[in-house]
Amino acid sequence: MRTRPLKVALLGCGVVGSEVARIMTAHAEDLAARIGAPVELAGVAVRRPGKVREGIDPALITTDPTALVKRGDIDVVVEVIGGIEPARGLITEAFAHGASVVSANKALLAKDGAALHAAAARYGRDLYYEAAVAGAIPLIRPLRESLAGDKVNRVLGIVNGTTNFILDKMDTTGAGYQEALDEATALGYAEADPTADVEGFDAAAKAAILAGIAFHTRVRLDDVYREGMTEVTSADFASARAMGCTIKLLAICERAADGGSVTARVHPAMLPLSHPLASVREAYNAVFVESEAAGRLMFYGPGAGGSPTASAVLGDLVAVCRNKLGEATGPGESAYTNLPVSAMGEVVTRYHISLDVADKPGVLAQVATVFAEHGVSIDTVRQQSRPDFQDTASDGGEASLVVVTHRAPDAALSGTVEALRGLDTVRGVASIMRVEGE
Ligand SMILES: NC(=O)c1ccc[n+]([C@@H]2O[C@H](COP(=O)([O-])OP(=O)(O)OC[C@H]3O[C@@H](n4cnc5c(N)ncnc54)[C@H](OP(=O)(O)O)[C@@H]3O)[C@@H](O)[C@H]2O)c1
């Protein structure tokens, strides 16, 4: 074994970084044996130098991450600061000054992955980011390496633990969105400002990364269609249960049926209880991959948290250190297929639509005609009178009409809904939800 240690600069020592440092120290001998050389923490960049950081030599702490990455003797930079800047500039400087990089930064990878990969390739360095998607779950490396000989057609994932916790609570306890969010906040699953999670921004960043890797093409954050889950109601869960489904916030990356394009999207969707993702409870993450030769694969585990995320970071650190010793680099960006990313309107899926309609003869036929005119074929219709909406002064009471469609393009469904809103007999469109996983 080489005795001269590989030097690691840790940028950030928060939830993830502190665990990376702890595991590096606690498992130093095992890591050295697995890598073939000891790894040494050479510096730790933080914002608040005065903060007590257990187990970290205060002499290693610096508030000047730029100076740390420019030292010239650093072999690997571990970036766990998060956000776009200064992380982006620091990673680029790291490459220029001889270091490979391990990052957990999904926001940056989704926004600027192509440029960062190009910089890594230019300097002959590694850029690894297993922790950026679904925390501890091995997913990037299986897609990049284990499935490199296969053809992935679809990736369907629960990649945000906060929203899965909230939806699971709504499903199992009957709680409303706000009540479930309050519980998630109290338990530390949701941040004080939960926007990034509940509006699907976090999942969209992960969808962009996953789609790019799965389909060997570039998928930017802006290419990902995104809908949050704040509008999901208890009534939606009741409708889902009536169909033998639950509701999950899904990141869905698909290759079009003709193979000529891909799509990436994040939105709440009804999912049959028989689907493996339906049983993913609480704050767990899981990703379901469908590929041509391997078939259906499921990756499951903790998608966040200091120690689970640090596990993925350490795995990357070992891989990158091994590459360094072998004077090689691992796989870089693979975007050779150059497949275009289609707009949401071209996505083909099924829909569950809940309408409030006038309870009188002929309404069902009128609604069915609108669907037919837009080329959306109806699978089932369920009509129910609503005695709470008796309106004797006008044209009778109100009924709720639940329509489940066969597969249709999203644009066709949008056109249908717009036309339905224009009908006198349709009092309102109570909810529209896509049905996935069949
Ligand atoms: N937390 C998770 O469960 C999780 C899961 C997967 C991926 N990630 C990703 O991991 C990364 C880190 O997340 P985290 O939860 O560990 O964040 P965090 O707890 O907020 O830690 C951020 C660290 O960066 C330091 N920092 C911030 N700005 C800095 C600057 N300008 N210069 C130097 N240091 C700076 C902070 O210093 P101070 O300590 O002095 O404040 C802190 O140590 C993010 O990209 C995140 O998306 C996190």
Side-chain angles (χ1 to χ4, degrees), residues 11-18 45-49 51 53 62-65 79-83 85-86 90 103-107 131-135 202 206 303-306 309:
L11 309 184
C13 192
V15 174
V16 179
S18 58
V46 296
R47 204 171 23 190
R48 297 166 296 167
K51 193 178 168 211
R53 300 176 200 267
T62 174
T63 53
D64 189 349
E79 185 277 308
V80 278
I81 289 178
E85 289 294 354
L90 291 168
S103 174
N105 194 333
K106 65 216 131 194
V133 182
D202 173 81
K206 293 165 180 170
T309 308

